[in-house]
Amino acid sequence: MSTIEKLVESFRQFPGIGPRQAKRFVYFLLTRNPHFIDELSTHLKELKKEVSLCSTCFRFFDKRKISGNICATCDNQNRDKSKMMIVEKDVDLENIERSGAYKGLYFVLGGSVPVLEKEPERYVRSNELLERVEKNCEDKKCQEIILALSNNSDGDNTSRFLNEILSPLLEKYDFKISTLGRGLSTGTELEYSDSETIKNALENRH
Ligand SMILES: [Zn+2]
């Protein structure tokens, strides 16, 4: 396999990137000057060294600024610990933070469960979620879990799955599960929603 082919294969693994786009990336790189390529490869190598996964909410954070394995949001004593919002990915969390409308805690699922999928656990951090919720409930902190998932069929399916796996804990502890209001129009992803829409969706949660 040539280097071009190898790189195409690598780019094809990126979310939403098909073989034609992957090839365009490679040819784009070939037209750049050597400095651009050097810088890019340095950043790629640094990425794993500088970024860590929070052991509590599973978001990525810059570990150069923080000692330990907990992100600044989880470590912030001023956050409302009675609420935990479940999001699919880091960009959703960042967008909600930017809106300033939410002061609770988070959990990053790491994806969504495709419709008709037989092994949902392969797509989301379900065991980690159950562990976290159980721990928060034991500490009597958890009062509400807010599902902030994509407003599409995969998001609905993920919501069904989460309700199912959380139901034994719901019977055992006193908390509720709510869902973001439909201020988000059908098919809209949280990632692309503006602050006002997020605020409305949060106020109209049910
Ligand atoms: Zn965290």
Side-chain angles (χ1 to χ4, degrees):
M1 210 191 248
S2 71
T3 303
I4 289 185
E5 286 164 337
K6 281 183 207 160
L7 267 175
V8 169
E9 278 311 304
S10 298
F11 285 127
R12 276 189 64 176
Q13 292 173 40
F14 281 54
I17 299 301
R20 284 229 316 257
Q21 281 162 308
K23 218 172 249 178
R24 275 176 61 197
F25 286 178
V26 177
Y27 285 108
F28 168 77
L29 287 174
L30 286 168
T31 63
R32 298 290 100 178
N33 61 40
H35 177 66
F36 180 91
I37 308 274
D38 282 348
E39 223 176 36
L40 181 66
S41 53
T42 308
H43 292 157
L44 286 175
K45 278 184 211 142
E46 297 296 319
L47 197 59
K48 282 278 184 186
K49 275 190 232 158
E50 291 177 4
V51 180
S52 206
L53 191 66
C54 175
S55 60
T56 304
C57 71
F58 292 89
R59 79 184 292 194
F60 290 110
F61 68 97
D62 190 339
K63 66 179 166 195
R64 293 170 306 166
K65 291 179 188 161
I66 297 162
S67 60
N69 51 2
I70 290 176
C71 77
T73 312
C74 289
D75 202 31
N76 184 346
Q77 295 308 313
N78 296 322
R79 302 291 299 207
D80 177 0
K81 293 188 168 46
S82 70
K83 292 184 182 63
M84 190 169 100
M85 187 184 278
I86 302 183
V87 294
E88 289 169 8
K89 47 199 188 304
D90 283 74
V91 279
D92 297 339
L93 187 157
E94 282 164 19
N95 210 9
I96 290 164
E97 275 300 281
R98 207 174 301 125
S99 78
Y102 178 71
K103 295 287 171 232
L105 300 173
Y106 291 97
F107 185 88
V108 182
L109 270 184
S112 58
V113 183
V115 178
L116 298 176
E117 176 54 47
K118 297 271 192 297
E119 294 173 86
E121 306 79 20
R122 281 179 49 218
Y123 291 82
V124 292
R125 298 184 177 107
S126 47
N127 291 334
E128 292 87 341
L129 174 68
L130 291 178
E131 239 171 66
R132 170 96 187 277
V133 174
E134 177 110 49
K135 191 180 176 302
N136 281 14
C137 287
E138 278 171 356
D139 294 347
K140 298 194 171 43
K141 282 179 200 151
C142 185
Q143 286 170 21
E144 184 180 2
I145 288 180
I146 304 166
L147 303 182
L149 308 168
S150 294
N151 197 355
N152 55 30
S153 53
D154 283 1
D156 291 345
N157 193 42
T158 309
S159 165
R160 264 195 301 276
F161 171 66
L162 295 181
N163 271 290
E164 198 181 295
I165 61 167
L166 287 168
S167 69
L169 291 177
L170 266 180
E171 283 169 23
K172 199 167 153 192
Y173 300 104
D174 188 27
F175 68 95
K176 63 171 181 176
I177 300 177
S178 61
T179 304
L180 279 196
R182 295 280 148 157
L184 304 170
S185 57
T186 306
T188 310
E189 295 210 43
L190 266 181
E191 178 181 352
Y192 306 112
S193 301
D194 59 69
S195 296
E196 203 50 39
T197 311
I198 289 174
K199 222 183 221 168
N200 286 335
L202 203 59
E203 276 166 12
N204 296 315
R205 68 184 186 273
H206 49 83

